C-alpha cells in the first residue's frame, strides 16, 4: 500500500495533464501522467503520401499547422484553435498513419553540476587514445549534428567561432530562443541568430565530442559539427524540456543538412512506436547513424530505457562511471586527524553546501535508533550538520527531519559503493550533499570517538579515485525494450565527466548521465567512419558491438548484464582494426521452446529445458589469411525487478547475489554448439548455430532475465595472438507473452483512492461517483503494455457503457515505487466515452457499476481478449 501514499500530491496534477482517451488505432493516447501540450498533435503521413497533402490540413479552420516535416519524417504538427477539437478528425484523414499528442522531453543528464579544472578523460581505456595517436584519426571529413540546448561556440576549447572558414561549427540553428516556457499555454518561440547555449547541457555534450584542450580533449575534435538548439533557458530553476514536435524539427534540420551522425542526449517514453523513435529509425534507413541516450532511470530497474534510443537501428548508449572524478571537496577534522572527502551537491542549487568555517557534524537520534534520518529527531541539532545514511526514505524526508531538528545541513553517505547526487522534488532552506560509503563510515567512526567538524568552502575542488570506475553507472537505464529487444547496445564513460560549459556559467563542469556517454559514442562512430567510410549504418553497429568489452561486475564476478551495458565498454581501436563481421550483433530470445533439444542426440542428456536456437554469420574480411573460429559462453548476471516473495525489489535484483559462493550451474544460462570450431578462408563466411538454454535452477515466478555473451575467439594464420568478438544475448526465463502485466498484489493495486485525502477507499459498497471528480483509480504495471483499457460495466446487465476519460491508453510504461512513474491513475466521474465520440463524453445513467480493467500482455493481439490480463472491481454507485 506504500504506493497509494504517493497519490494525493500527484492526482490533481495528472488529471490536468491528461488527454482524452480514444479507441486503439491510428490515434495514440498516452497515460495521464505524461506531460503533453493540450490541443497539439503530431500527424504522421503514410510514406507514399506527397508533401502537398498538408494543404488539406491548412484548409481546416479549427487547427493551425505549426510544422511541416518532409525529410526524415513525413508529417506535420498542429495546434487546435479550441478545447473542443476532436483529434479523431486528424486520424480519419486519408493518408494518415498515426496521430500522437505532443509530449515533452528532457535531456538525459543527472542534474548535479560541479565546476572543475582538470581533464580526467581516460581515452586509452576505450581505444580512443590509440585511434588518435597510432592511427592518426580525429574525425576529419565526418559531420555530426547535435540536437540539444545550444553551444557556447566562443568557448576557447570549442573553436571560438561560428560558421567561419576553418571553424568546427559549420551548420546549425536556433529553433527555440530564450523565452520558451513549456509550462505556458502558448510558449514563446523566438529563435536567435545563432544557437548560443544558456543552459549548459549542449555545451557539455559538445566538449565531449569537439574539445580541443588543454583541459577537455574531445573524442573527434577534427569533425565538422552542427548544433540544433531545441532546449531553451531554464525557467524558475527547473530542468529544461522541449516538445517532441520541436525535437523532430531539429532532427529534420540535421538530416536535411547532410550530417553523417545525429547525436541525441535526450529521452522519454519507452516504445519504438513513439514519434521520436520512428523518425530516428527512418533516418537510419536513409543512411544516417543516430546515437541516442538510453536514459537515467536505472534505479527503477528493467524496462527503463527510453525513446528514441529504443528505435529500430538506433545506437542506444549506456553509461559507465569515470575512473577518477573532479568534485567538490570537504575537509573533515576529528581526533583522528584531517581527511578530504568528496561531496556531491543536490539537484537544487538554491541552497549550496557551502560552509566556510568548521561546522560540527552529528548523528541523528530518533525513536527508531538508526542513522537513516527517516524519522523525527529526538535531539536538538541546532547549528549542526546531520550525517545520515542513504536508503529507506526519500532525500526530501531526510532533509525535512533534519531541518525541523534545527540542523544547518545534511551530509548523506551512500549505502553501496560509489558516488551519487541527491535528487530533491521540493526545496528546503538547508543544503544536502552526498558522499561515498567509505567516507561516511570514516566520519561515523570518528564521531563515536569524539567531536567531528567539516569545512566545505565554495568552489573547493579535489581529485578522487572512483571506487566504481568502469562499472555500469547506477543511474544508467536498463533494458530490455517492451518487446525484449537488446538496449542499450554499447556503453561509454558517462558518470562524472569533465567537459566544457558556457563561459558565463563557469567554463567547465563535471556532469553525469547517459547524455555524456552518448556524444562519446557519437565521437567514436566519427573515428570509425573516417577510417572506414564505406561502412553502412548496420556495419558500424555490428563492429561497435562485436568489439565491445564486457564489464565484470564488482560484486558477483560475472559479467554485467547486456540489458544494463549492451556489449560492454566501447573499444573503438578494436572496431576500426577489426577483420571480422558478426551478424546479427545481438540475440534477443523471445521465442524459446520447452522440451528436449530435438534432432541432436548430443543434447539428449539435458532433458526438458527452455531453449532457443540461433545462427550467427561470421565473415573473414582479411583478404589474405584464413581465420580459425572458436566459441565460449561468458555468463552474465541475471536481473529481476521482483523479490522472491513476489513484491517489488526497490533496486534491481541480481543473481548470483554475491561473488563469495559459487552459483549452481543450473542457475546460469548455458550455450551449446556443434559447429563452433571452424576454419574460414580469406574473404569468406561461416555460420555457427548455438542453442541457448535458460537457467533451470531459477524460478519462473521470480521473473528473471538471463543474459551473457557469445565470445568468439578468432585467430588468423601465422599469428600468435587472437582477437575476441562478442554477441550479447538475453532472454526472459519463462513464457514472456504469458506473464502478468499488472503490478503484484503486494502493492495493493488496483485501488480506488480519495483524491483529497490520498487514502484508499476500502468499502466500495458505499462509494457514490457523481459530478465532482473526487475519486481516482490507481493501478500499476509490472511491465510495459501496448494497450490498457478501463471501462464502466453495468453490473445488472453486464454490458460495457464506455471508458471513463483517459480510460483507453496505448503504449504505457512500466510503473514501480522506484520508477519515474510510481503508478498510473485516472480520475473517475459520471461521464464515459464511447467509440466514435471521444471528445464529448456522455453522462452515464444512474445505477450500479464496476470497473473492468484489462492490460495487453507482450506480443498480444489487441483484438483478442484472451491476450489481456484483467481485473474487475467491486460494485459502486454512479448517481
Amino acid at each position: 500500500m506504500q504506493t497509494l501514499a504517493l497519490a494525493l500530491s500527484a492526482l490533481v496534477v495528472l488529471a490536468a495533464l491528461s488527454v482524452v482517451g480514444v479507441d486503439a488505432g491510428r490515434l495514440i493516447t498516452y497515460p495521464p501522467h505524461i506531460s503533453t501540450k493540450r490541443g497539439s498533435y503530431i500527424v504522421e503521413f503514410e510514406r507514399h503520401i506527397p508533401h502537398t497533402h498538408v494543404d488539406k490540413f491548412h484548409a481546416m479552420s479549427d487547427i493551425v499547422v505549426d510544422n511541416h516535416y518532409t525529410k526524415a519524417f513525413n508529417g506535420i504538427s498542429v495546434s487546435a484553435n479550441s478545447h473542443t477539437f476532436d483529434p479523431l478528425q486528424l486520424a480519419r484523414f486519408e493518408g494518415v498513419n498515426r496521430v500522437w499528442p505532443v509530449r515533452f522531453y528532457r535531456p538525459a543528464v543527472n542534474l548535479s553540476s560541479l565546476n572543475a579544472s582538470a581533464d580526467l578523460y581516460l581515452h586509452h581505456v576505450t581505444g580512443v587514445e590509440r585511434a588518435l595517436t597510432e592511427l592518426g584519426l580525429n574525425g576529419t571529413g565526418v559531420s555530426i549534428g547535435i540536437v540539444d540546448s545550444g553551444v557556447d561556440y566562443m568557448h576557447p576549447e570549442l573553436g571560438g567561432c561560428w560558421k567561419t572558414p576553418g571553424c568546427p561549427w559549420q551548420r546549425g540553428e536556433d529553433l527555440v530562443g530564450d523565452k520558451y516556457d513549456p509550462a505556458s499555454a502558448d510558449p514563446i518561440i523566438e529563435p536567435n541568430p545563432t544557437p548560443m547555449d544558456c543552459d549548459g547541457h549542449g555545451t557539455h555534450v559538445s566538449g565531449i565530442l569537439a574539445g580541443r584542450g588543454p583541459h577537455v580533449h574531445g573524442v573527434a575534435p577534427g569533425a565538422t559539427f552542427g548544433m540544433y538548439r531545441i532546449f531553451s533557458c531554464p525557467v524558475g530553476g527547473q530542468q529544461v524540456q522541449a516538445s517532441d514536435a520541436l525535437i523532430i524539427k531539429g532532427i529534420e534540420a540535421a538530416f536535411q543538412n547532410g550530417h553523417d551522425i545525429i547525436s541525441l542526449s535526450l529521452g522519454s517514453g519507452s516504445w519504438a512506436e513513439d514519434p521520436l523513435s520512428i523518425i530516428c529509425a527512418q533516418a537510419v534507413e536513409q543512411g544516417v547513424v543516430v546515437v541516442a541516450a538510453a536514459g537515467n532511470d536505472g534505479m527503477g530497474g528493467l524496462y527503463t530505457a527510453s525513446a528514441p534510443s529504443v528505435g529500430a537501428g538506433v545506437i542506444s548508449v549506456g553509461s559507465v562511471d569515470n575512473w577518477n572524478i573532479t568534485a567538490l571537496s570537504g575537509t573533515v577534522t576529528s581526533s583522528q586527524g584531517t581527511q578530504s572527502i568528496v561531496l556531491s551537491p543536490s539537484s537544487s542549487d538554491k541552497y549550496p553546501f557551502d560552509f566556510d568555517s568548521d561546522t560540527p557534524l552529528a548523528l541523528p537520534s530518533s525513536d527508531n535508533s538508526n542513522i537513516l534520518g527517516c524519522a523525527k529527531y529526538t535531539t536538538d541539532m541546532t547549528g549542526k550538520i546531520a550525517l545520515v545514511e542513504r536508503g529507506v526514505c526519500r532525500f526530501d524526508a531526510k532533509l525535512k527531519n533534519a531541518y525541523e531538528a534545527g540542523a544547518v545541513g545534511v551530509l548523506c553517505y551512500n549505502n553501496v559503493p560509489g558516488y551519487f547526487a541527491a535528487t530533491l522534488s521540493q526545496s528546503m532552506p538547508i543544503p544536502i550533499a552526498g558522499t561515498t560509503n567509505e567516507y561516511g563510515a570514516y566520519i561515523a567512526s570518528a564521531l563515536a570517538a569524539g567531536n567531528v567538524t567539516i569545512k566545505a568552502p565554495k568552489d573547493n575542488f579535489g581529485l578522487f579515485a572512483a571506487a566504481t570506475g568502469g562499472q555500469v553507472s547506477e543511474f544508467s537505464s536498463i533494458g530490455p525494450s517492451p518487446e525484449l529487444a537488446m538496449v542499450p547496445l554499447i556503453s561509454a564513460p558517462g558518470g562524472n565527466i569533465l567537459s566544457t560549459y558556457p563561459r558565463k556559467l563557469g567554463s567547465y563542469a563535471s556532469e553525469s548521465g547517459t547524455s555524456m556517454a552518448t556524444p562519446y559514442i557519437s565521437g567514436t562512430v566519427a573515428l570509425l567512419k573516417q577510417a572506414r567510410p564505406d561502412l553502412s549504418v548496420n556495419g558500424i553497429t555490428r563492429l561497435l558491438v562485436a568489439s565491445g568489452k564486457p564489464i565484470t561486475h564488482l560484486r558477483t564476478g560475472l559479467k554485467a548484464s547486456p540489458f544494463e551495458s549492451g556489449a560492454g565498454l566501447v573499444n573503438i581501436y578494436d572496431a576500426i582494426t577489426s577483420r571480422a563481421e558478426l551478424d546479427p550483433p545481438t540475440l534477443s530470445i523471445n521465442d524459446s521452446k520447452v522440451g528436449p533439444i530435438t534432432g541432436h542426440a548430443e543434447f539428449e542428456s539435458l532433458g526438458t529445458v527452455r531453449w532457443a536456437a540461433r545462427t550467427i554469420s561470421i565473415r573473414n574480411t582479411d583478404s589474405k589469411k584464413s581465420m580459425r573460429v572458436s566459441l565460449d559462453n561468458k555468463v552474465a548476471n541475471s536481473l529481476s525487478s521482483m523479490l522472491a516473495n513476489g513484491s517489488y525489489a526497490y533496486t534491481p535484483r541480481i543473481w548470483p547475489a554475491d561473488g563469495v559462493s559459487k552459483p549452481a550451474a543450473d542457475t546460469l544460462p548455458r550455450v551449446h554448439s556443434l559447429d563452433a570450431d571452424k576454419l574460414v578462408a580469406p574473404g569468406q563466411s561461416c555460420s555457427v548455430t548455438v542453442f541457448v538454454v535458460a537457467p533451470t535452477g531459477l524460478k519462473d515466478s521470480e521473473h528473471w532475465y538471463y543474459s551473457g555473451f557469445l565470445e568468439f575467439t578468432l585467430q588468423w594464420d601465422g599469428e600468435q595472438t587472437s582477437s575476441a568478438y562478442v554477441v550479447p544475448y538475453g532472454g526472459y526465463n519463462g513464457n514472456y507473452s504469458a506473464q502478468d502485466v499488472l503490478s503484484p498484489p503486494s502493492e495493493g493495486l488496483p485501488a480506488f483512492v480519495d483524491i483529497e485525502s490520498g487514502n484508499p477507499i476500502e468499502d466500495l459498497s458505499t462509494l457514490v461517483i457523481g459530478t465532482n471528480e473526487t475519486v481516482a483509480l490507481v493501478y500499476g504495471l509490472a511491465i510495459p503494455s501496448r494497450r490498457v483499457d478501463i471501462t464502466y460495466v453495468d453490473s445488472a446487465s453486464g454490458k460495457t457503457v464506455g471508458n471513463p476519460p483517459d480510460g483507453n491508453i496505448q503504449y504505457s510504461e512500466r510503473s514501480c515505487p522506484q520508477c519515474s512513474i510510481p503508478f498510473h491513475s485516472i480520475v473517475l466521474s459520471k461521464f464515459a466515452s464511447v467509440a466514435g465520440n471521444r471528445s464529448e463524453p456522455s453522462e452515464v445513467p444512474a445505477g450500479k457499476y464496476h470497473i473492468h480493467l484489462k492490460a495487453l500482455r507482450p506480443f498480444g493481439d489487441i483484438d483478442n481478449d484472451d491476450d489481456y490480463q484483467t481485473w474487475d472491481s467491486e460494485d459502486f454507485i454512479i448517481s
Side-chain angles (χ1 to χ4, degrees):
M1 300 298 286
Q2 180 177 358
T3 301
L4 298 183
L6 303 173
L8 173 60
S9 62
L11 283 175
V12 175
V13 175
L14 297 183
L17 295 174
S18 65
V19 181
V20 175
V22 299
D23 284 334
R26 292 190 291 179
L27 180 52
I28 306 303
T29 53
Y30 292 131
H33 67 269
I34 297 295
S35 178
T36 61
K37 185 179 178 183
R38 184 178 291 276
S40 296
Y41 303 92
I42 295 172
V43 182
E44 180 192 23
F45 299 152
E46 294 174 1
R47 292 201 179 186
H48 67 276
I49 296 297
H51 300 324
T52 54
H53 196 61
V54 70
D55 295 340
K56 297 181 180 181
F57 294 85
H58 279 300
M60 295 177 66
S61 60
D62 44 4
I63 64 167
V64 174
V65 176
D66 298 318
N67 296 291
H68 183 199
Y69 311 117
T70 62
K71 304 303 178 184
F73 186 76
N74 189 17
I76 57 177
S77 67
V78 303
S79 297
N81 292 327
S82 71
H83 292 303
T84 60
F85 176 75
D86 187 351
L88 271 176
Q89 296 178 53
L90 302 172
R92 288 169 178 159
F93 258 94
E94 181 184 358
V96 167
N97 193 25
R98 278 171 288 205
V99 178
W100 300 267
V102 169
R103 71 183 291 176
F104 292 100
Y105 282 67
R106 290 186 172 90
V109 63
N110 212 335
L111 289 179
S112 64
S113 178
L114 313 176
N115 293 330
S117 58
D119 183 8
L120 302 177
Y121 275 174
L122 301 181
H123 286 334
H124 66 275
V125 182
T126 58
V128 168
E129 183 179 64
R130 294 187 71 187
L132 295 175
T133 58
E134 296 179 23
L135 303 180
L137 302 171
N138 64 2
T140 296
V142 181
S143 180
I144 304 173
I146 308 166
V147 182
D148 215 292
S149 68
V151 58
D152 184 353
Y153 47 81
M154 295 305 296
H155 195 293
E157 298 204 36
L158 295 177
C161 56
W162 181 254
K163 293 186 178 180
T164 56
C167 180
W169 302 98
Q170 289 296 323
R171 301 181 181 92
E173 59 185 301
D174 186 354
L175 299 170
V176 65
D178 297 344
K179 301 177 181 179
Y180 181 81
D181 181 0
S184 171
D186 188 19
I188 299 172
I189 297 180
E190 295 179 353
N192 298 315
T194 64
M196 179 58 74
D197 186 11
C198 55
D199 172 66
H201 186 265
T203 301
H204 196 278
V205 163
S206 298
I208 294 169
L209 273 165
R212 297 184 166 195
H215 298 296
V216 177
H217 298 282
V219 179
T224 301
F225 300 96
M227 173 59 73
Y228 302 86
R229 185 181 180 220
I230 47 85
F231 293 120
S232 187
C233 303
V235 177
Q238 299 297 312
Q239 187 182 15
V240 295
Q241 55 181 331
S243 70
D244 48 8
L246 196 56
I247 298 170
I248 290 174
K249 189 174 182 180
I251 296 171
E252 278 267 301
F255 181 87
Q256 185 174 7
N257 280 339
H259 291 291
D260 302 300
I261 303 162
I262 297 177
S263 189
L264 300 169
S265 291
L266 50 83
S268 185
S270 61
W271 287 85
E273 289 80 4
D274 285 351
L276 290 193
S277 297
I278 290 171
I279 184 177
C280 290
Q282 292 178 1
V284 168
E285 286 181 11
Q286 297 179 68
V288 177
V289 180
V290 179
V291 184
N296 296 339
D297 293 319
M299 288 302 291
L302 294 147
Y303 295 108
T304 52
S306 63
S309 80
V310 294
V314 176
I315 298 176
S316 176
V317 184
S319 170
V320 301
D321 285 347
N322 203 345
W323 291 261
N324 295 285
I325 56 177
T326 297
L328 289 172
S329 175
T331 302
V332 173
T333 302
S334 69
S335 60
Q336 300 178 16
T338 60
Q339 172 70 51
S340 293
I341 68 167
V342 63
L343 297 172
S344 60
S346 72
S347 59
S348 172
D349 57 5
K350 189 174 182 180
Y351 299 99
F353 196 87
D354 295 342
F355 295 93
D356 291 329
S357 60
D358 288 315
T359 305
L361 284 158
L363 294 169
S365 177
S366 60
D367 291 337
N368 57 6
S369 301
N370 63 44
I371 58 170
L372 291 166
C374 296
K376 288 186 178 298
Y377 292 11
T378 56
T379 55
D380 184 18
M381 296 288 288
T382 300
K384 300 177 181 179
I385 297 171
L387 177 72
V388 302
E389 186 180 12
R390 184 183 184 186
V392 177
C393 63
R394 294 178 179 271
F395 296 116
D396 300 273
K398 296 177 187 289
L399 201 59
K400 181 175 182 290
N401 290 330
Y403 171 69
E404 291 178 348
V408 295
V410 171
L411 180 61
C412 182
Y413 65 93
N414 212 345
N415 53 359
V416 294
Y419 179 84
F420 77 101
T423 301
L424 302 173
S425 60
Q426 59 187 19
S427 179
M428 293 292 293
I430 61 172
I432 182 172
T435 192
T436 65
N437 177 271
E438 294 80 7
Y439 289 130
Y442 169 82
I443 297 171
S445 173
L447 281 169
N451 295 330
V452 180
T453 63
I454 185 171
K455 184 177 181 180
K458 182 181 179 181
D459 296 336
N460 183 47
F461 300 101
L463 178 64
F464 300 88
T468 56
Q471 292 290 295
V472 176
S473 299
E474 179 184 64
F475 57 77
S476 191
S477 286
I478 303 172
S481 77
E483 294 175 341
L484 211 56
M486 184 73 71
V487 285
L489 283 178
I490 193 72
S491 293
N496 307 302
I497 303 299
L498 173 72
S499 187
T500 50
Y501 221 55
R503 291 162 298 150
K504 292 182 178 179
L505 299 177
S507 294
Y508 301 94
S510 179
E511 291 194 341
S512 296
T514 51
S515 274
M516 288 61 250
T518 297
Y520 203 100
I521 292 298
S522 297
T524 64
V525 172
L527 301 181
L528 182 54
K529 283 190 70 69
Q530 180 188 5
R532 303 176 69 167
D534 295 331
L535 282 172
S536 66
V537 176
N538 289 337
I540 288 170
T541 300
R542 288 195 294 266
L543 289 182
L544 274 182
V545 173
S547 58
K549 306 305 174 190
I551 298 164
T552 300
H553 193 275
L554 280 178
R555 198 171 81 213
T556 68
L558 299 182
K559 302 302 180 184
S561 170
F563 290 129
E564 295 178 290
S565 66
L569 184 64
V570 65
N571 190 299
I572 195 58
Y573 179 86
D574 285 357
I576 292 168
T577 58
S578 170
R579 288 180 286 169
E581 293 179 356
L582 282 67
D583 191 47
T586 66
L587 300 180
S588 294
I589 302 170
N590 54 21
D591 59 348
S592 55
K593 303 174 182 178
V594 177
I597 300 178
T598 56
H600 301 280
E602 297 88 341
F603 302 142
E604 288 181 357
S605 61
L606 296 176
T608 298
V609 292
R610 178 173 284 109
W611 62 278
R614 294 290 190 272
T615 298
I616 309 296
S617 173
I618 305 174
R619 180 169 172 259
N620 179 10
T621 58
D622 193 306
S623 61
K624 297 180 179 179
K625 296 182 178 181
S626 295
M627 175 184 73
R628 174 67 64 182
V629 178
S630 60
L631 171 64
D632 191 14
N633 175 34
K634 296 296 183 181
V635 176
N637 296 331
S638 292
L639 303 177
S640 177
S641 292
M642 299 293 178
L643 298 174
N645 64 8
S647 62
Y648 278 128
Y650 274 72
T651 56
R653 189 178 171 204
I654 296 175
W655 180 263
D658 56 59
V660 177
S661 55
K662 186 177 180 180
D666 65 354
T667 66
L668 305 175
R670 290 168 286 172
V671 173
H672 302 274
S673 180
L674 297 176
D675 54 2
D677 189 5
K678 292 188 173 183
L679 184 66
V680 185
Q684 299 300 306
S685 300
C686 72
S687 294
V688 176
T689 298
V690 296
F691 299 88
V692 180
V693 178
T696 55
L698 295 181
K699 296 178 180 178
D700 290 8
S701 61
E702 295 184 19
H703 302 280
W704 289 103
Y705 292 74
Y706 63 88
S707 59
F709 299 85
L710 306 180
E711 184 179 82
F712 290 94
T713 300
L714 309 182
Q715 187 164 15
W716 282 265
D717 282 350
E719 299 181 10
Q720 297 298 314
T721 59
S722 59
S723 300
Y725 295 79
V726 297
V727 176
Y729 68 85
Y732 176 69
N733 195 43
N735 186 342
Y736 187 64
S737 60
Q739 64 176 314
D740 286 345
V741 181
L742 298 176
S743 58
S746 60
E747 292 301 299
L749 301 176
F752 288 72
V753 174
D754 179 84
I755 294 176
E756 184 175 348
S757 68
N759 295 322
I761 301 171
E762 304 290 353
D763 185 6
L764 296 189
S765 65
T766 61
L767 174 63
V768 178
I769 295 176
T771 303
N772 295 330
E773 296 181 339
T774 62
V775 178
L777 176 71
V778 178
Y779 63 97
L781 296 178
I783 60 176
S785 178
R786 191 154 55 92
R787 184 183 182 187
V788 175
D789 191 57
I790 301 167
T791 54
Y792 286 137
V793 178
D794 186 316
S795 296
S797 66
K799 293 182 178 179
T800 298
V801 298
N803 301 101
D806 303 310
N808 188 298
I809 305 154
Q810 289 87 45
Y811 303 113
S812 288
E813 301 164 39
R814 174 178 178 256
S815 59
C816 73
Q818 291 291 94
C819 297
S820 58
I821 306 162
F823 60 88
H824 297 271
S825 69
I826 65 167
V827 177
L828 301 177
S829 72
K830 64 186 298 182
F831 297 95
S833 300
V834 295
N837 186 23
R838 294 300 174 174
S839 62
E840 296 292 337
S842 304
E843 187 170 329
V844 177
K848 185 178 288 187
Y849 294 87
H850 67 269
I851 289 286
H852 179 69
L853 184 156
K854 63 179 186 178
L856 189 65
R857 300 182 194 272
F859 304 118
D861 181 349
I862 202 167
D863 296 319
N864 185 353
D865 283 345
D866 291 338
D867 289 345
Y868 289 82
Q869 183 184 1
T870 62
W871 173 86
D872 289 278
S873 76
E874 296 176 355
D875 291 345
F876 54 88
I877 300 297
I878 294 181
S879 65

